[in-house]
Amino acid sequence: MVLGRNTWLFAGALAVACLLIVGRGEPDDGPVAGAQRAGAVKDVVPNRVMTWNICNPCDESNAGRAAEIAAYAPQVIGLQEACVRDVESIRDHLEAVHGLVYHVEYGSVLRNRGRCGGWPWNPGAFGQALLSAAPMTDRVSVEYPDGGSEDRGYLAVTTTVGGRSVRVFDTHLAQRRQEEVRADQTRVLAAAVARYDHALVLGDFNAVPDAPELGPLWKLAEDADPGCRPSSGGTCEPTTDWESKFDYVFLRGLTPAGHHVHPTPYSDHHLTGADVGAPSSPGGAATG
């Protein structure tokens, strides 16, 4: 009897220790108050794209995140601050609950247990992810030479948007108050974008539209928000909880056919999207 009791005590202590080592587990994916439920969505909008910094570590519901995406059913969505296992869960919910099937590519730039959980010797991968209803090819994942206070980079693929082949970039630039670092990152990104006549550049740029470091991109492309240009005097719709525009859908050689910003309870960044129109001459950017 004593031996049996000691065995149970040891097993219980071992289970507690394992939980402490693993760290945070999968966020609660049960019903969430206020979550938008898209219902049985079956088809994506073929010319719709979105970008979303999903916020990690934020312990938010991946079921709720999937419902937010499914409510607008984009053809392509670029995610930032994306942990691989969160993206896998979001993708599973999109298919099982909402009938939306996506391919996925990852552009992870670091492995970090504080960001993504996991074992101390095998922390979760963190960075960018692209979901596309159409297959993706020619994947390239680049880490910027200087990430600033945290490793940063961009992910690029070729896929189909609105029935045409488009190069899609997904990036997350250095945090605020690191303007010089972002300027170097933008130059690296712009050099890659310039090689394509038709491209989409999605991401969290951590900079307002008239920030000097975004200059190289404005020379190549225009933002999907028609009222938002550098030094234009227009009104840029905020994309963050602190009322700044940091998230962009840049169009190169493509015309905007609609712009969407959707606040969400699952991140401090809003879902930011665009419907993409017909091709235009590449580099048709505002210069104001």
Side-chain angles (χ1 to χ4, degrees):
M1 290 293 292
V2 173
L3 179 60
R5 181 172 181 273
N6 288 341
T7 300
W8 281 108
L9 288 172
F10 174 77
L14 183 60
V16 172
C18 288
L19 288 172
L20 291 173
I21 290 173
V22 170
R24 72 176 178 94
E26 183 68 22
D28 177 17
D29 286 339
V32 178
Q36 296 183 27
R37 309 304 296 179
V41 175
K42 296 300 180 184
D43 296 307
V44 299
V45 180
N47 67 328
R48 180 166 295 168
V49 299
M50 282 187 169
T51 182
W52 193 16
N53 181 323
I54 60 175
C55 184
N56 272 307
C58 292
D59 293 320
E60 294 292 354
S61 163
N62 287 322
R65 288 165 165 166
E68 294 286 304
I69 294 170
Y72 305 102
Q75 171 82 4
V76 172
I77 184 165
L79 301 177
Q80 303 88 44
E81 294 196 17
C83 295
V84 167
R85 67 177 183 166
D86 284 335
V87 176
E88 290 173 346
S89 178
I90 291 168
R91 186 181 176 212
D92 288 345
H93 279 93
L94 284 167
E95 182 171 0
V97 179
H98 306 285
L100 294 169
V101 179
Y102 287 95
H103 303 268
V104 63
E105 292 288 356
Y106 295 100
S108 301
V109 293
L110 60 88
R111 303 188 70 85
N112 188 296
R113 181 169 175 262
R115 285 282 195 178
C116 297
W119 297 92
W121 54 89
N122 187 26
F126 173 85
Q128 286 69 247
L130 278 165
L131 301 177
S132 175
M136 292 176 279
T137 61
D138 303 319
R139 171 192 172 275
V140 173
S141 183
V142 173
E143 187 172 334
Y144 294 124
D146 183 0
S149 55
E150 181 178 78
D151 293 349
R152 295 289 162 92
Y154 73 80
L155 170 66
V157 302
T158 298
T159 190
T160 302
V161 178
R164 65 183 66 89
S165 179
V166 176
R167 190 66 171 170
V168 180
F169 294 81
D170 180 19
T171 192
H172 188 190
L173 299 190
Q175 295 171 350
R176 287 177 286 180
R177 294 181 292 277
Q178 299 181 63
E179 293 85 354
E180 293 183 3
V181 175
R182 286 198 300 274
D184 290 339
Q185 294 171 348
T186 305
R187 282 190 285 270
V188 171
L189 177 62
V193 173
R195 294 197 288 267
Y196 298 89
D197 289 339
H198 301 105
L200 291 160
V201 189
L202 315 174
D204 173 7
F205 288 78
N206 272 315
V208 296
D210 60 355
E213 61 265 32
L214 295 188
L217 278 173
W218 284 117
K219 292 178 181 178
L220 293 172
E222 61 180 358
D223 186 56
D225 182 348
C228 188
R229 300 290 183 267
S231 305
S232 67
T235 301
C236 300
E237 192 167 358
T239 65
T240 65
D241 286 354
W242 54 93
E243 297 297 314
S244 293
K245 179 177 171 65
F246 277 6
D247 305 272
Y248 297 80
V249 176
F250 281 111
L251 308 176
R252 174 169 168 80
L254 300 165
T255 57
H259 176 252
H260 327 277
V261 175
H262 310 289
T264 165
Y266 301 102
S267 176
D268 53 358
H269 287 254
H270 307 338
L271 268 167
T272 302
D275 293 342
V276 179
S280 66
S281 58
T287 58

